[in-house]
Amino acid sequence: MRISVIGCGYLGAVHATCMAQLGHDVVGIDVDAAKVAALAAARPPFFEPGLGELLESTLATGRLRFSTDIADAADAEVHFIAVGTPQLAGSDAADLSYVRAAIYSLVPVLAPGALVVGKSTVPVGTAAMLSHVIQPTGARLAWNPEFLREGFAISDTVSPDRIVYGVAPGDALAEAQLDEVYAGALAVGTPKVVTDYATAELVKVSANAFLATKISFINAMAEIAEATGADVTQLADAIGHDARIGRRFLNAGLGFGGGCLPKDIRAFMARAEELEVDQALTFLRSVDAINLRRRDRMVDLAREAVGGSLAGKRAAVLGLAFKPNSDDVRDSPALDVAARLVAAGASVRATDPKAIETARLRHPELHYVEDWTDAVRGADVVLVLTEWDDYRRLDPDAVGSVVTRRAIVDGRNCLDPVQWREAGWHYRALGRPPAVGAEHPGAVQPEAERGAEREADHVRGDVVRQQ
Ligand code: NAD
């Protein structure tokens, strides 16, 4: 099929490349000329494993082009909209201006019979509104939410776990056109769900709301574990064995971030408020709050590790991306913690295998180093904030030989506490006890001790009364 993809960021560039690799004739359109030039030269403007190689081989077939000129999309039969829908400044709602701009730029070149397919994540009701803009051209609109994960974007695009089409009532042609686009995935039995617009839009945001809730649930358990001396990682393993619960997305740690989950749950709440059903989603407010509280806790653990004040202390930050195998630092908990450490007076040296340049754009004030060995040299405390394999595999003795103080805070529960403690490290992690058998604030005292304390209180009370 002849396909255009409008918006070539993390989603669109991968989608365009994969569609061409599957045999379609694709043009990727973006307003960012530098991005278009980089993609056309097989240089991915962001890090996604395998994308560089795939771009190169696919561009060589002649089936993939990139352009800034929307007129180059004119002869496509299917137009995917993959522009951003970030959080509006000063509001929880989604900024739909890019989606509107993309649709309005496309309208003059749309051929009758063409299908415009929304991929961007939008508030429910957006497709119905946009379909009126497209209708006069004789083209039609469908919504086909995208579920790819950064870091696995290529395999998720080529082999999705499900395909959802939201189509206008009675638009059988839209389903047929999309079936042709996704013929490969459908041929191997990928489940397909055909819905109306509203359901398709809601599928995406409710899936993200569920995933965010699952992460915040285990992080809430981490808070309880911290108050009681329990170990949240064992708790997650134990409850995860229940097939109804499942172990995935139950990793307690610094919480979720990135260009999707945080802004999507906020936009969902904002839309529910407009629809006067905000009560249905009040729990998402807690999900968001739990997620953000983990960052405070991380800074507290670092402060504790250096003896009470971060002022003048050297902190090594390992990891800036919101997750491994990505350079995406949008709403990254790791980058936020790095900035908070600086605000608390620490001297921070931060590193990441792929995200230094994207982080620098947002936080130029941080001191970045290319290599983790430069980050940890002379450090009073080491913080692991993104669970890259490089950091999971760190050798406690090798790191220990260059730091000032053997203190580490594991923000992703990705290191082995036994191994680090045996090497003489002060090891702390979110949701885990300070050390085996350590005292904790929530310990229930033995009755005998409590009796003795009550006795002492009486005596103190008597003394106070007598004074
Ligand atoms: P992004 O910011 O990386 O990419 C958006 C691109 O659109 C940019 O390159 C920008 O220059 C371009 N653009 C903006 N206005 C344009 C216009 N009028 N015409 C042409 N191009 C234009 O964002 P992203 O992460 O790719 O996300 C895009 C959408 O996909 C969002 O709605 C997001 O929620 C959704 N989504 C993203 C992912 C993901 O993992 N990144 C996964 C699923 C869904």
Side-chain angles (χ1 to χ4, degrees):
M1 291 196 100
R2 291 188 309 278
I3 290 175
S4 85
V5 178
I6 322 292
C8 293
Y10 285 92
L11 163 55
V14 173
H15 192 70
T17 311
C18 290
M19 290 299 113
Q21 193 244 346
L22 291 170
H24 300 301
D25 189 5
V26 181
V27 59
I29 307 283
D30 203 290
V31 289
D32 181 336
K35 203 173 263 189
V36 164
L39 287 165
R43 282 186 282 106
F46 53 88
F47 175 71
E48 177 61 41
L51 183 59
E53 297 81 343
L54 194 66
L55 263 174
E56 201 169 335
S57 61
T58 315
L59 285 164
T61 65
R63 289 196 302 270
L64 178 62
R65 292 167 300 136
F66 291 95
S67 170
T68 51
D69 187 356
I70 194 76
D72 288 332
D75 68 345
E77 301 151 270
V78 174
H79 304 270
F80 284 102
I81 305 294
V83 297
T85 48
Q87 187 174 339
L88 264 177
S91 156
D92 276 350
D95 180 352
L96 289 178
S97 61
Y98 302 98
V99 173
R100 274 195 220 98
I103 296 278
Y104 279 103
S105 70
L106 194 55
V107 161
V109 305
L110 274 178
L115 185 67
V116 178
V117 183
K119 274 217 157 287
S120 303
T121 304
V122 291
V124 58
T126 306
M129 174 190 70
L130 294 173
S131 68
H132 297 298
V133 179
I134 289 167
Q135 222 165 20
T137 65
R140 288 151 307 109
L141 180 73
W143 217 266
N144 168 221
E146 177 57 57
F147 305 100
L148 70 80
R149 298 160 300 163
E150 288 173 23
F152 304 92
I154 292 171
S155 58
D156 285 352
T157 303
V158 176
S159 314
D161 48 18
R162 80 289 212 189
I163 302 175
V164 177
Y165 309 158
V167 299
D171 191 354
L173 183 58
E175 184 179 347
Q177 286 170 299
L178 283 168
D179 280 354
E180 210 177 324
V181 170
Y182 293 119
L186 295 172
V188 296
T190 305
K192 176 180 93 174
V193 184
V194 183
T195 72
D196 52 27
Y197 289 151
T199 308
E201 291 164 325
L202 280 173
V203 165
K204 175 63 191 174
V205 288
S206 58
N208 276 358
F210 187 88
L211 295 173
T213 303
K214 199 169 177 189
I215 296 171
S216 278
F217 171 82
I218 200 64
N219 283 334
M221 296 307 105
E223 290 189 10
I224 308 289
E226 281 154 16
T228 56
D231 185 326
V232 75
T233 63
Q234 290 181 324
L235 181 148
D237 288 342
I239 64 173
H241 283 303
D242 184 333
R244 294 169 301 176
I245 296 173
R247 183 63 178 81
R248 295 183 69 191
F249 266 58
L250 273 190
N251 295 321
L254 198 45
F256 57 82
C260 291
L261 258 49
K263 61 107 173 147
D264 286 351
I265 62 167
R266 292 172 196 150
F268 199 8
M269 287 186 275
R271 184 66 183 128
E273 203 172 325
E274 285 170 6
L275 295 166
E276 297 182 6
V277 286
D278 42 319
Q279 275 192 329
L281 297 184
T282 44
F283 71 96
L284 287 180
R285 193 66 64 200
S286 301
V287 165
D288 202 7
I290 292 165
N291 194 53
L292 296 175
R293 278 206 298 273
R294 294 287 74 192
R295 304 176 188 187
D296 299 332
R297 177 70 181 152
M298 192 69 199
V299 175
D300 287 346
L301 288 180
R303 189 178 287 115
E304 221 177 276
V306 296
S309 168
L310 283 161
K313 295 291 186 326
R314 293 178 75 155
V317 162
L318 306 187
L320 295 161
F322 87 96
K323 66 171 188 173
N325 297 314
S326 175
D327 65 351
D328 196 347
V329 295
R330 290 177 287 183
D331 218 329
S332 168
L335 185 55
D336 191 22
V337 166
R340 287 172 190 228
L341 293 170
V342 172
S347 145
V348 173
R349 264 187 285 173
T351 190
D352 187 284
K354 297 290 175 190
I356 291 177
E357 292 318 314
T358 46
R360 202 193 303 276
L361 289 173
R362 282 169 197 255
H363 281 283
E365 78 283 6
L366 289 177
H367 180 58
Y368 298 99
V369 292
E370 286 298 325
D371 203 314
W372 65 260
T373 48
D374 292 331
V376 299
R377 190 165 299 115
D380 295 300
V381 60
V382 177
L383 292 93
V384 179
L385 302 182
T386 313
E387 66 276 36
W388 286 93
D389 278 346
D390 289 4
Y391 306 150
R392 286 176 181 277
R393 288 194 293 257
L394 285 175
D395 173 14
D397 284 319
V399 184
S401 65
V402 294
V403 295
T404 297
R405 185 194 308 229
R406 290 192 176 205
I408 189 157
V409 190
D410 179 0
R412 296 292 179 183
N413 279 307
C414 63
L415 305 174
D416 177 1
V418 175
Q419 192 195 7
W420 284 79
R421 285 188 178 129
E422 277 179 5
W425 283 77
H426 165 90
Y427 170 93
R428 290 303 313 271
L430 295 165
R432 295 178 109 167
V436 183
E439 283 294 324
H440 51 86
V444 178
Q445 292 167 294
E447 192 50 37
E449 271 179 36
R450 278 197 282 174
E453 265 187 24
R454 273 199 296 270
E455 192 66 25
D457 283 347
H458 277 304
V459 174
R460 271 197 294 276
D462 284 347
V463 172
V464 171
R465 270 192 297 278
Q466 280 165 18
Q467 283 172 348

